[in-house]
Amino acid sequence: MISIYLIGIVILAYLFGSIPSAVWFGEAFYGVDVREYGSGNAGATNTFRVLGKRAGSIVMFVDIFKGWTATNLPYLLDANIVGIPSSVQFVNFQLALGVIAVLGHLFPIFAGFRGGKGVATLFGMVIAIHPEAALCCVSVFLLTLIITHYVSLSSILAGFTFPFSIAFIFHTSVPAVLLYGIAICALILVTHQKNIERLLKGHESKIYLFKKKKS
């Protein structure tokens, strides 16, 4: 029998993911719906592009926190339901709730089901599941961004770093984590199709962390 508490946690994970931080922050402080500008996505990258570094940073950290919080919700449930922390059963529950939060970000009930690409929320999930692999991902992301100034390319390479690192560096013993890592790669490729097309054509927008773009 499915516990009502388990159903409640699943709904809560989706609601966490559905918090449209880019939309709410943009409308509250700038009077702007970021989905009407730039790439049209309600995510941190488009917020950086449309509203600047300060707004983009705030949205990014909120989106990361959404994924991290949803993935850690199993700690609120009885061990008889989700298993003891760090067990395969517990990690599987974490993965499931994290994925639900990402779906909430992609299709937020609070914003007409028009969300972002889920990269920051995915990263929050990765931090909760495997902090060491998350460090590898953020290192690759920042290095790529500093060299190329392409957030989309940085996100793609960081996403591919996760399954590589957990398989060949950290040798994870939980098969679901590796499958999740592969799923991350597939999801990022699907959600970044237009970005990949623009990258290949040389039309992708750049973001400069330490200096302004020269005209």
Side-chain angles (χ1 to χ4, degrees):
M1 183 177 179
I2 299 178
S3 168
I4 185 129
Y5 297 108
L6 182 57
I7 295 175
I9 288 291
V10 168
I11 294 174
L12 189 58
Y14 172 77
L15 294 178
F16 266 121
S18 287
I19 296 173
S21 54
V23 176
W24 286 354
F25 188 84
E27 291 181 341
F29 295 97
Y30 295 85
V32 171
D33 184 343
V34 295
R35 295 174 298 177
E36 304 303 322
Y37 302 90
S39 66
N41 288 302
T45 300
N46 199 40
T47 305
F48 272 106
R49 184 179 296 114
V50 176
L51 302 179
K53 294 178 181 179
R54 179 176 177 274
S57 297
I58 292 172
V59 169
M60 179 182 67
F61 283 117
V62 171
D63 287 349
I64 290 173
F65 183 71
K66 290 183 335 188
W68 181 87
T69 302
T71 306
N72 281 319
L73 286 175
Y75 285 103
L76 301 178
L77 295 175
D78 191 280
N80 292 324
I81 299 175
V82 298
I84 60 174
S86 299
S87 67
V88 172
Q89 182 182 354
F90 188 88
V91 172
N92 287 342
F93 269 104
Q94 284 189 298
L95 289 170
L97 293 177
V99 168
I100 291 170
V102 172
L103 290 175
H105 181 85
L106 295 174
F107 309 104
I109 192 172
F110 301 124
F113 302 100
R114 291 176 57 202
K117 296 179 180 178
V119 174
T121 306
L122 278 170
F123 182 61
M125 182 179 177
V126 170
I127 294 174
I129 296 294
H130 205 301
E132 296 84 358
L135 182 60
C136 291
C137 293
V138 75
S139 299
V140 169
F141 178 89
L142 289 174
L143 181 61
T144 306
L145 184 59
I146 291 170
I147 293 174
T148 69
H149 309 293
Y150 290 123
V151 174
S152 56
L153 180 60
S154 303
S155 299
I156 292 169
L157 293 182
F160 276 81
T161 298
F162 179 67
F164 178 86
S165 63
I166 60 175
F168 299 107
I169 299 177
F170 301 109
H171 307 289
T172 182
S173 60
V174 183
V177 175
L178 182 57
L179 291 175
Y180 162 70
I182 295 173
I184 283 180
C185 296
L187 178 62
I188 289 178
L189 288 177
V190 169
T191 57
H192 285 77
Q193 284 183 355
K194 293 183 179 179
N195 301 87
I196 294 172
E197 292 175 5
R198 289 194 294 267
L199 283 168
L200 293 175
K201 294 177 181 178
H203 297 158
E204 181 73 334
S205 299
K206 293 185 177 182
I207 289 180
Y208 292 76
L209 290 179
F210 305 114
K211 61 180 180 180
K212 293 182 179 180
K213 182 179 179 182
K214 295 180 180 181
S215 56

